[in-house]
């Protein structure tokens, strides 16, 4: 079995999203972002399109948690929504839209240096 076949069989990009979530929950969000980038690279290389929306949604959550540039966060969430809609995945689109709405709500009501805390799913 080739490495490509192994990655396709195991669904490695999806498992990397789980690892990224665990890292984020362990307060290792910068590492979680690195894992998301790795997952995105593998998903593109081996055409695991079903995980693209999830990768972008998680990137948005992690960037928001780190207090990153608002434009990067917005782009991540909007891309997650666009991809989910394009794939006609109602559940993925709804998740991304719900978390994006929560991001906007928290952003509008936050005071001072309070960090945003968004759900993972």
């Amino acid at each position: 079995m080739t490495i490509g076949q192994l990655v396709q069989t195991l669904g490695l990009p999806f498992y990397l999203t789980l690892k990224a979530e665990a890292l984020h929950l362990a307060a290792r969000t910068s590492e979680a972002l690195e894992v998301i980038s790795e997952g995105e690279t593998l998903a593109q290389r081996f055409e695991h399109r079903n995980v693209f929306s999830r990768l972008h949604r998680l990137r948005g959550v992690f960037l928001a948690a780190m207090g990153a540039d608002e434009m990067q966060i917005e782009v991540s969430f909007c891309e997650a929504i666009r991809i989910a809609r394009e794939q006609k995945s109602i559940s993925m689109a709804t998740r991304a839209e719900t978390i994006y709405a929560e991001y906007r709500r928290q952003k509008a009501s936050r005071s001072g240096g309070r960090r945003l805390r968004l759900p993972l799913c």
Side-chain angles (χ1 to χ4, degrees), residues 49-100:
R49 293 181 180 94
N50 62 324
V51 76
F52 287 164
S53 177
R54 182 181 176 91
L55 288 162
H56 286 284
R57 177 175 48 85
L58 289 172
R59 174 177 279 123
V61 169
F62 300 157
L63 288 170
M66 294 175 64
D69 177 64
E70 289 181 22
M71 182 60 80
Q72 288 180 318
I73 298 166
E74 300 266 340
V75 166
S76 293
F77 285 128
C78 290
E79 190 67 4
I81 294 166
R82 184 193 66 76
I83 290 168
R85 287 179 180 164
E86 185 179 279
Q87 294 175 343
K88 299 184 183 353
S89 175
I90 295 168
S91 63
M92 291 302 287
T94 301
R95 272 188 215 141
E97 289 164 350
T98 301
I99 295 172
Y100 184 39

Side-chain angles (χ1 to χ4, degrees), residues 36-53:
I36 289 296
S37 293
E38 181 182 350
E40 190 173 41
T41 299
L42 289 171
Q44 288 174 350
R45 182 174 176 195
F46 296 105
E47 299 181 8
H48 280 230
R49 293 181 180 94
N50 62 324
V51 76
F52 287 164
S53 177

